Each structure stands twice: as structure tokens, then as C-alpha cells.
Amino acid sequence: AIKDDSREFELSSLTALSPLDGRYWGKVKDLAPYMSEYGLIYFRVLVEIKWLLMLSQIPEVIEVPSFSAEAQSYLLGLIDGFSMDDALEVKKIERVTNHDVKAVEYFLKQKCQSQPEIAKVLEFFHFACTSEDINNLAHALMLKEAMTKVMFPTMDKLVEAICKLAKANASVSMLSRTHGQPASPTTLGKEMAIFAVRLSRERQEISQVEMMGKFAGAVGNYNAHIVAYPTVIWPQIAEQFVTSLGLKFNPYVTQIETHDYMAKLYYAIIRFNNILIDFDRDIWGYISLGYFKQITKAGEIGSSTMPHKVNPIDFENSEGNLGKANEDLTYLSMKLPISRWQRDLTDSTVLRNMGGGLGHSLLAYKSALQGIGKLQVNEARLSEDLNQAWEVLAEPIQTVMRRYGVPEPYEKLKELTRGRAVTKESIREFIEGLELPEEAKTHLLKLTPHSYVGAAVELAKTVDSAVNVINGSEKGYKVRQIPTAGSDYHVMFIWWQL
């Protein structure tokens, strides 16, 4: 049995219930300043102080005169200098108040008693506020900072890494597989480009979600505000205040901000994550086929019992954490927009779990990046599969036959290829027996499984342009002629604004 010693089981990386706070802490700790209890307390302090400063700028609120530069500097210094010791002091106060937002208010009153100008207006900390006026803005700021400072840069690194993979392997021919069966060839780079573009599109969607905030009192009507100062246009003041924090103002609310934007944000992240799961599984499969080798470091163990193995653990880790992230984010998306009447408290404890979905997502992104860094293309293996798949040329042959009116082209190719071993020689023999113009026949005879890749090379090479169009840094379209591999034919390639 496990020895029950409370001293040994104080919180540490070994005793943490969540692996994000234990085993994986080093990979996700960048989120801690924003998504932790410390982050929540910090942003509550910021909102309370900014609100007092806003009150000092409203002429009708004569009880809070404009602060001197010294007093303003002191208040802003409480935000800029907020420390772990300060957060611990708030928690100490909370043990007495048993109310986390009230503890912040008392903390600020203590801090400002020594500043004469502010000491006169201490009761205007939290003036006309319900706790949710402070909390909803703090949560929005937590999310905004976490996305901007941590999540987006990592997402961008991931897209960039896949773009590099696409461009580096733009011309590496690869056998496609539809339904698990050999299909028309593509290039490894083009298949990677697809994921770069898909992920970039969703990353852009995520960045368009506006973090929203309310500041309308106990039930969203400015009831107390208007009684205290009837001549102040409080909805206008609230909008000014919320937007001054870099948030979008939500004027129609109950006691709480409705959390609809959070659901939109989390669903967008889920879509990004789903695409990355698709990528992880495809790379896993390509490693299984031998298309990729994995570079290992000296001393690393691939399998505990089979020395020859190098398991694709980074992509498996990524896939697993993406699933866990999506589970967390799905629940948040479904639960948070629902609150009984003017509010119930079920959202409060759920909101404390915002960091979990982002943490598992971040861990997954970093695992995928680590895996990509280990990949080494095995062109010999790719070539081997293509050399054994001459049947894939049945598609272009029957398509050219259709063009020149050869009867029953599909049926003739079906008879040649289905259930039979198709070789270079049998394909050449079939082509030479066709009644086609010499130019068309010559073109078909030049085709190989390696060269029959259509516009795949160019699609891979132009992946940066595609991503830039999505991001809005490149507009319009380009038209150019590209020589088709293995022939004198050209295809017209058009890049359009996505």
C-alpha cells in the first residue's frame, strides 16, 4: 500500500493530479501566468484598479476627484509590480472572507491606505460592481493574453514547420492511397501543404473571435449605478471601460457575460485540433509504411523490449492530448452559454478549468513539432511503392482514350488492371496497341508512376502564398504555365484568393 504521509504528498510535480502540472509542466508552463489562479487574481486586480481610475474621470462622480500623476502612478504600479507574494496575500485574505473577489477588494484597500489621495476613496473600489463584472473581464483578458502570447505563436510555428516540410518535399513523388488502396500519385510535399493550409485557415478563424466583456451590475441593467448617479449615462461608460481593456462590449447580459464568444473560440480551437489529429494519423501511417524514418538522439530508447523499433511517440502523444483537449473544450463550449434565469453558479467552477483545454492543446502542438523535427524522408521506400504500382496509369490512359473517341476506354482498362499484376511492359504494350494520334501516344509512353503527379509539385511549392492569402498578407491570383513532369505538356495553374 502507498504510505500515507501528508508531508510527502504536498503538491509537487510528482504529486500533481493533472499531468499538465506534473510530468508535462515544463512544456505548458508558459500558460501559467495567464490561465492559473495567479493569473485570475492578477487580472481581477487590474480590472478593479482600472475601474477606480475610470470613476475618477467621470465629472458627475465628484466623490472621486481626478487623481494626481503620483496617485495614478501608484495605482498602476500595483498592477505592474504585482507579484506572487501579492497573490498569496490575496489568498490569505480569502481564507477569512471566503469570497475570492472580495479578497481582492480588501487587498487593494490595504495596499492603498498609505497613499493619502487614494485612501479617501477606498470605498469606490468595486463601486456598483457585482463580482461577475470583475470576473468576466478577468477571464476574457486571461484568454486574450494566453492566445496572443502563447497559443498563436505555437500554432504559427506548427504551420511554418509543415510548410517547410511541404516545400522541401514538393517534388518527392508518392503513391496516393484512397480507401487504403493504390491511387493516382501525388507528392509528399503537396500532401503536407494541404495540412498547412487547413491549419492556417482555422488559426485565422480563431484569431477573428472577439473576446467580450460586460460591466452592467447585478442583473445587467445598471440598477445601482443609476440610483447612485442618475445623470451618468452608465451604458456608455461601461462600453468605454470594457473597450479600453481591449475587449468587445456586450450590452445585453444578465449578471454574467453570456459566454457565447467562449463557445465560439473553443469550437474553433477544436476544429484546428481535429485537423492536427488528421495530420498526426497520416504521419503515423507514413512512418509505418517506411516513407519516413525518425532521427534519434544517442541514448534514446525506441521500445523497451524491441531494440530495432523507433516508435512514433511524438505523434501519438500529440493525438492523445488533442483528444483530451477537445473533450475539455467541448464541455466548456456546451455548458458555459447555459445559465438559469439571471445566473446560476455552475459556470464559476467550470471556468476554473479553462487552462486544461489550452494546456493539452499546447502540449499536443509541441509534441507534433518535436516529431516533425525528427522526420527524415526515405525516398527509396517511396520509389519502391511507385515502381510496383503501374496500374495507377490506367486513369490517364483511359482519360486520353475518351478524348480521342476510343470506345469503352474504362472497360478496356478495367479488364487490363483489375485482379491482375500490371507491369511497365504490359502498360506499354497496351498503349502501343491503341488507335491514338502519335503525339498523344508518345506522351502516354513517357508517363511513369513517378511523373504522373499533375500540379502537385507546384501546389507544394506555392504553399507559402496560400497561407499568406489566408492571413491577408497576399491578395489576388497568379496564372502561370508549368511543364508537366516527364512530358512537354503544360498545365495552366491558377492561384485564387481563398
Side-chain angles (χ1 to χ4, degrees):
I2 293 176
K3 185 179 179 182
D4 185 12
D5 188 329
S6 59
R7 291 172 300 173
E8 292 182 13
F9 281 85
E10 291 179 358
L11 181 61
S12 72
S13 61
L14 289 176
T15 61
L17 294 181
S18 166
L20 294 178
D21 299 316
R23 181 180 182 86
Y24 302 126
W25 173 248
K27 293 185 177 181
V28 300
K29 64 181 180 181
D30 289 348
L31 283 171
Y34 315 109
M35 302 309 295
S36 62
E37 178 97 354
Y38 168 89
L40 177 57
I41 294 170
Y42 166 79
F43 284 112
R44 282 169 170 163
V45 166
L46 181 150
V47 173
E48 293 275 13
I49 290 173
K50 294 277 189 176
W51 178 233
L52 183 63
L53 288 168
M54 172 67 83
L55 289 171
S56 74
Q57 296 167 18
I58 302 173
E60 294 89 341
V61 185
I62 57 176
E63 289 77 8
V64 187
S66 296
F67 289 122
S68 66
E70 180 185 356
Q72 290 183 47
S73 178
Y74 183 85
L75 286 168
L76 294 174
L78 293 177
I79 299 171
D80 296 337
F82 190 79
S83 66
M84 191 61 67
D85 286 340
D86 289 330
L88 290 170
E89 180 61 28
V90 172
K91 294 300 291 182
K92 181 180 177 181
I93 297 169
E94 185 186 340
R95 285 197 289 272
V96 177
T97 62
N98 198 30
H99 195 287
D100 49 3
V101 177
K102 205 67 179 175
V104 170
E105 179 188 345
Y106 287 175
F107 166 79
L108 288 171
K109 287 179 177 179
Q110 289 178 12
K111 282 286 188 180
C112 293
Q113 282 176 347
S114 61
Q115 218 289 341
E117 198 174 334
I118 305 170
K120 295 176 183 178
V121 293
L122 290 180
E123 291 307 320
F124 281 86
F125 275 120
H126 208 70
F127 174 79
C129 294
T130 182
S131 295
E132 271 306 298
D133 285 330
I134 308 303
N135 281 337
N136 90 96
L137 298 181
H139 286 132
L141 291 169
M142 290 165 70
L143 278 172
K144 183 173 182 176
E145 290 296 297
M147 294 304 299
T148 302
K149 302 285 178 57
V150 183
M151 301 302 289
F152 285 143
T154 310
M155 288 176 169
D156 291 341
K157 286 179 184 176
L158 191 54
V159 172
E160 183 183 354
I162 299 174
C163 280
K164 287 181 179 177
L165 200 58
K167 290 179 292 183
N169 297 285
S171 302
V172 178
S173 299
M174 183 182 83
L175 185 65
S176 291
R177 282 177 168 80
T178 57
H179 312 283
Q181 307 300 310
S184 301
T186 182
T187 72
L188 180 58
K190 183 260 177 176
E191 300 312 303
M192 297 301 101
I194 292 171
F195 286 108
V197 171
R198 291 175 69 193
L199 289 169
S200 184
R201 189 179 292 123
E202 292 308 322
R203 184 261 188 252
Q204 184 66 9
E205 285 288 321
I206 297 167
S207 70
Q208 297 303 309
V209 178
E210 294 179 303
M211 311 297 178
M212 302 192 76
K214 58 85 68 171
F215 211 72
V219 292
N221 301 331
Y222 310 94
N223 304 49
H225 306 64
I226 291 170
V227 170
Y229 293 96
T231 60
V232 176
I233 306 173
W234 287 108
Q236 183 178 319
I237 294 295
E239 182 172 7
Q240 270 183 277
F241 180 58
V242 171
T243 56
S244 74
L245 298 175
L247 304 172
K248 177 81 171 177
F249 180 62
N250 186 355
Y252 287 90
V253 294
T254 59
Q255 185 175 104
I256 62 172
E257 200 286 322
T258 53
H259 306 318
D260 297 330
Y261 83 86
M262 287 190 183
K264 186 176 182 180
L265 174 70
Y266 295 145
Y267 276 129
I269 296 172
I270 288 167
R271 291 196 302 273
F272 183 97
N273 290 353
N274 278 339
I275 294 168
L276 189 57
I277 289 173
D278 198 22
F279 172 83
D280 288 336
R281 289 180 178 177
D282 274 12
I283 296 295
W284 188 96
Y286 294 141
I287 292 171
S288 177
L289 291 171
Y291 289 179
F292 285 116
K293 296 179 181 178
Q294 295 179 94
I295 304 167
T296 57
K297 295 178 183 177
E300 283 189 349
I301 303 297
S303 167
S304 64
T305 185
M306 292 172 279
H308 66 282
K309 291 183 69 180
V310 181
N311 297 327
I313 55 173
D314 295 308
F315 299 104
E316 293 170 340
N317 184 287
S318 177
E319 181 183 342
N321 276 286
L322 290 166
K324 173 59 178 165
N326 285 357
E327 178 188 41
D328 289 356
L329 295 171
T330 297
Y331 176 68
L332 290 170
S333 301
M334 294 176 67
K335 188 274 155 298
L336 289 176
I338 300 170
S339 185
R340 295 174 183 87
W341 295 341
Q342 281 65 57
R343 86 105 14 128
D344 64 47
L345 202 64
T346 54
D347 68 323
S348 180
T349 188
V350 171
L351 284 164
R352 292 184 180 276
N353 292 276
M354 292 193 305
L358 295 189
H360 283 287
S361 296
L362 180 64
L363 177 57
Y365 305 160
K366 290 188 174 182
S367 294
L369 275 166
Q370 186 168 303
I372 291 169
K374 295 178 182 179
L375 293 176
Q376 186 175 55
V377 178
N378 184 359
E379 291 194 42
R381 182 70 186 86
L382 285 156
S383 183
E384 179 186 347
D385 267 5
L386 287 165
N387 288 334
Q388 295 175 2
W390 281 82
E391 66 270 20
V392 298
L393 297 186
E395 181 191 40
I397 294 169
Q398 64 107 354
T399 304
V400 172
M401 290 166 68
R402 288 178 188 277
R403 175 184 174 181
Y404 291 105
V406 178
E408 297 184 324
Y410 179 84
E411 288 73 19
K412 286 183 171 67
L413 267 299
K414 177 180 174 183
E415 183 181 344
L416 172 70
T417 59
R418 188 164 301 186
R420 297 184 183 184
V422 180
T423 64
K424 177 179 180 181
E425 290 71 25
S426 64
I427 284 285
R428 289 184 64 87
E429 182 181 344
F430 181 83
I431 294 170
E432 286 170 349
L434 294 173
E435 293 184 9
L436 293 172
E438 282 305 311
E439 182 185 7
K441 190 177 290 189
T442 299
H443 175 51
L444 288 176
L445 288 169
K446 286 182 179 180
L447 278 180
T448 71
H450 293 77
S451 65
Y452 180 51
V453 294
V457 174
E458 189 66 14
L459 283 164
K461 286 182 176 179
T462 56
V463 65
D464 285 342
S465 295
V467 168
N468 289 338
V469 166
I470 292 167
N471 294 336
S473 56
E474 189 169 314
K475 304 287 184 183
Y477 63 88
K478 303 169 184 176
V479 181
R480 52 179 159 174
Q481 286 191 330
I482 309 155
T484 304
S487 76
D488 297 326
Y489 278 50
H490 288 70
V491 294
M492 192 69 75
F493 185 82
I494 301 175
W495 191 261
W496 59 93
Q497 183 170 340
L498 301 179

